[in-house]
Amino acid sequence: MKEQNIESKMARRLSGGVALAAFCGMLGVPAPALADTASEINALKAQIKRLEARMTEQAKTNAQVRNAVNSAKTQPGLVAPPPVFVSFKNGLFVETEDNAFSFKIGGRVQVDGGFASSADTTSRSNAGFRRTQLEVEGKAYKNWFYKFQYDFTGSGAAGIRDAFLAYRSKLLPEEITKQPVTFQVGNFFEPFSLETVSSTKHITFIERAMTETLAPSRHIGVAVGAGDKHWSVKGGFFSTSPQDTASAPPTGGHQYWDFAARATYAPIVEEDKLLHFGSSFRYHKPNDATAATNVNTYRPGQGTRDEFDVLGGSGALIRVPTAQDLTCAASGSLATASTGLSLLYSPFTLKNGCLKYAYSYGFEASAAYGPFAVQAEYLASQYERNPVNALLLGNAGGSSLNYSGYYVYGSVFLTGESRAASYRGYDKNWGSPGTFADVSIKNPVNKGGLGAWEFAARYSELNLNNGGLVDSSYAYAAALVGNAAQKALANTATLGGREGNLTLALNWYPVRGVRLQANWTKVLTLSAPSDRAYLNGDRPSVFLARAQVFW
């Protein structure tokens, strides 16, 4: 278009020049002046020819591009690069125009600090990184999904957290659901417990409730899930985890395996109203595994994060005693260090000959109405053991052990937000359906507002005691000063302790992806484990603060 305008202007100038020359000739204008005019006309003609040549070349080039694109669309094996959408909002996100491919780089950083009133099992004060995670996730060819997450501060095999591949396809009739069925393989959370499968980016308190002790964490396995906005079902089989103490079973033995399932139903899902129910079940087969490979399951509370975390860490106040392995194993080998009658028996059995199987179950509920919200959960774990093996191998607790825990909390957004708006059913979060995402802030700070302010209170309790043939006071005394017979009688009980905590929380969400938290926790009841009876009656209090950013 630009070249055409230039050509038009020059043509006008040329015609004007010819007319001017003729007019000057009639008036008898001198020849030199006419010669200058002719020279100018010739120069203009030459320039017009050059522009015409350039326009011809440009037209050829445009035609070649169009032909190449059309050929790529029609010829098999030739595909034109699709246009892509790129966004830097809350992480780097790239997606093709047809939504077939996507790629996102995200992560989170959580920095904690705090102090405690008691130093018996916790530090007086401490600060540090709780999580520094980087993750890559996306999809390919519309149906394939992937995620890899790495924690630079976490324990476990090189800090690996989520690492899975998923395939999604619409296999069920639309009368049941319009959402695809999901097949997932890799390392991810077993579908069990609302509190456990909820992302730490979005849980209301700094640490999960103590019920986490009885719930499985991430494990390597396969799972299948289905659902829609109001319901979900997910189940699968799992085995070892990069976060286990060791990922291999004892020499010559077999690793444990789990079957876990979780179902949710939310009859009310609106912007400011929510009603959610759920239940979970897990069956655990130990095979030849011991606490040397799976300490969280075979010594509940040992190695589990609790509400004191950065100050005390794993099992700060209660946990099944370190010396006791619910599989009756003292180590991770097939050999047995035995005395007395067990010398006649133990050489012919694996050291985990106590535990036959275990199972866990849980119930959950959550509701929201406007700025107010409540949530509660109850979990229990049952261990069925061989009582003869337990007796001969000198392991406490007898043939059947039961541990349980629960929590209940309420929260209110002082700035009017609703937790219901952040609820994610299977249609929005197929990996962990029936959980919550980040808060929908009404007036963020970057738009001149105050952000979102939330206040919450929670009571959480965990019971790792089993009575046995004597009461807990007798067992505590026998563990400290009892003779051999009294200790044997005390061993009919498993005393891991009982703890009840009250936590108050204040959260500030200035903008999406940033949160500042403050938690105060008071231990209201404490029965210590049998190997730390000196903690009985202690009532420590803890203050923790966190600065979090995620993208």
Side-chain angles (χ1 to χ4, degrees):
M1 184 62 120
K2 184 176 180 181
E3 288 82 354
Q4 292 175 349
N5 292 335
I6 295 174
E7 181 182 3
S8 177
K9 291 179 180 179
M10 289 185 173
R12 289 196 299 269
R13 293 179 63 183
L14 177 59
S15 60
V18 174
L20 179 61
F23 180 73
C24 290
M26 293 173 61
L27 297 178
V29 177
L34 293 176
D36 292 340
T37 301
S39 176
E40 182 180 358
I41 292 172
N42 291 333
L44 290 172
K45 288 181 178 180
Q47 188 171 357
I48 290 173
K49 289 181 179 181
R50 288 194 298 271
L51 290 174
E52 288 177 344
R54 289 175 57 186
M55 291 176 63
T56 301
E57 291 297 325
Q58 184 64 45
K60 291 180 180 180
T61 302
N62 293 341
Q64 291 174 354
V65 172
R66 286 194 299 269
N67 292 336
V69 172
N70 293 332
S71 176
K73 291 181 178 179
T74 57
Q75 295 185 27
L78 295 177
V79 180
V84 297
F85 170 78
V86 180
S87 171
F88 293 95
K89 185 177 181 180
N90 200 238
L92 174 61
F93 179 75
V94 180
E95 186 175 40
T96 57
E97 186 180 38
D98 58 3
N99 298 323
F101 296 82
S102 69
F103 177 83
K104 180 183 178 183
I105 298 178
R108 76 195 70 174
V109 177
Q110 297 173 342
V111 183
D112 292 2
F115 52 86
S117 64
S118 173
D120 289 330
T121 58
T122 62
S123 303
R124 285 289 189 184
S125 63
N126 190 33
F129 286 98
R130 177 64 168 88
R131 295 178 181 89
T132 54
Q133 296 180 355
L134 189 65
E135 60 191 38
V136 177
E137 60 182 318
K139 65 179 176 180
Y141 302 102
K142 291 187 178 180
N143 299 100
W144 295 93
F145 295 78
Y146 59 89
K147 183 176 182 179
F148 181 80
Q149 186 181 66
Y150 188 96
D151 190 349
F152 292 89
T153 59
S155 59
I160 295 175
R161 294 299 176 259
D162 285 339
F164 62 78
L165 178 69
Y167 178 80
R168 308 192 69 212
S169 180
K170 291 185 177 181
L171 301 177
L172 297 177
E174 290 195 359
E175 292 77 9
I176 298 176
T177 177
K178 295 182 180 180
Q179 298 298 319
V181 176
T182 303
F183 300 90
Q184 192 174 359
V185 59
N187 190 63
F188 50 93
F189 275 111
E190 294 190 25
F192 189 95
S193 169
L194 168 60
E195 183 83 343
T196 301
V197 300
S198 295
S199 172
T200 58
K201 295 184 296 185
H202 310 308
I203 56 177
T204 303
F205 297 84
I206 289 179
E207 296 295 340
R208 294 185 174 102
M210 288 189 292
T211 51
E212 185 188 14
T213 296
L214 305 179
S217 184
R218 294 179 179 89
H219 285 88
I220 297 174
V222 295
V224 59
D228 66 8
K229 179 178 180 180
H230 294 278
W231 65 273
S232 71
V233 177
K234 184 176 182 179
F237 291 89
F238 303 85
S239 187
T240 186
S241 168
Q243 292 178 262
D244 282 344
T245 309
S247 58
T251 303
H254 300 278
Q255 188 58 283
Y256 65 88
W257 61 266
D258 290 346
F259 167 76
R262 176 172 175 256
T264 69
Y265 175 59
I268 302 175
V269 181
E270 300 178 15
E271 283 296 314
D272 60 350
K273 300 181 185 66
L274 171 70
L275 184 59
H276 161 98
F277 300 100
S279 62
S280 304
F281 179 80
R282 175 203 189 197
Y283 177 85
H284 177 85
K285 183 67 175 176
N287 291 324
D288 305 314
T290 70
T293 57
N294 189 354
V295 66
N296 289 337
T297 299
Y298 305 132
R299 290 180 189 150
Q302 184 77 22
T304 303
R305 303 279 192 177
D306 60 19
E307 293 170 305
F308 291 70
D309 188 63
V310 74
L311 297 176
S314 305
L317 297 176
I318 65 171
R319 79 283 187 280
V320 170
T322 304
Q324 182 177 351
D325 185 333
L326 298 183
T327 66
C328 295
S331 69
S333 67
L334 299 179
T336 304
S338 306
T339 58
L341 292 176
S342 63
L343 283 171
L344 303 176
Y345 181 79
S346 58
F348 306 101
T349 183
L350 294 176
K351 296 194 68 177
N352 62 347
C354 278
L355 185 60
K356 296 185 292 185
Y357 63 90
Y359 60 90
S360 305
Y361 54 91
F363 305 97
E364 63 191 58
S366 182
Y369 185 82
F372 301 96
V374 294
Q375 183 171 306
E377 200 164 358
Y378 172 84
L379 298 183
S381 292
Q382 185 77 23
Y383 292 77
E384 297 298 334
R385 309 199 305 168
N386 185 315
V388 176
N389 289 9
L391 175 64
L392 292 175
L393 296 175
N395 196 269
S399 62
S400 185
L401 306 176
N402 180 270
Y403 305 124
S404 63
Y406 70 92
Y407 70 85
V408 58
Y409 78 77
S411 66
V412 57
F413 278 97
L414 306 177
T415 44
E417 287 77 7
S418 179
R419 193 166 187 247
S422 63
Y423 183 77
R424 297 294 182 266
Y426 181 86
D427 59 328
K428 295 182 178 180
N429 185 354
W430 50 263
S432 298
T435 57
F436 296 86
D438 49 315
V439 173
S440 180
I441 306 171
K442 287 189 173 183
N443 298 296
V445 171
N446 63 320
K447 294 184 179 180
L450 297 175
W453 288 84
E454 179 185 27
F455 174 77
R458 177 178 69 189
Y459 181 79
S460 176
E461 183 171 306
L462 179 64
N463 185 1
L464 299 179
N465 283 344
N466 283 266
L469 298 179
V470 295
D471 61 26
S472 59
S473 60
Y474 183 97
Y476 285 129
L480 291 176
V481 296
N483 56 37
Q486 292 170 331
K487 290 181 182 295
L489 191 61
N491 271 345
T492 61
T494 297
L495 299 178
R498 182 170 185 169
E499 181 181 353
N501 295 342
L502 172 66
T503 301
L504 303 180
L506 182 64
N507 301 324
W508 181 39
Y509 309 79
V511 293
R512 184 171 185 240
V514 178
R515 177 169 64 166
L516 301 179
Q517 299 175 266
N519 283 191
W520 176 79
T521 297
K522 176 66 175 179
V523 177
L524 301 181
T525 59
L526 178 61
S527 298
S530 56
D531 62 340
R532 291 193 290 183
Y534 63 89
L535 290 175
N536 267 325
D538 199 4
R539 303 288 185 272
S541 58
V542 174
F543 175 82
L544 293 178
R546 169 175 293 175
Q548 169 183 284
V549 59
F550 73 88
W551 61 95

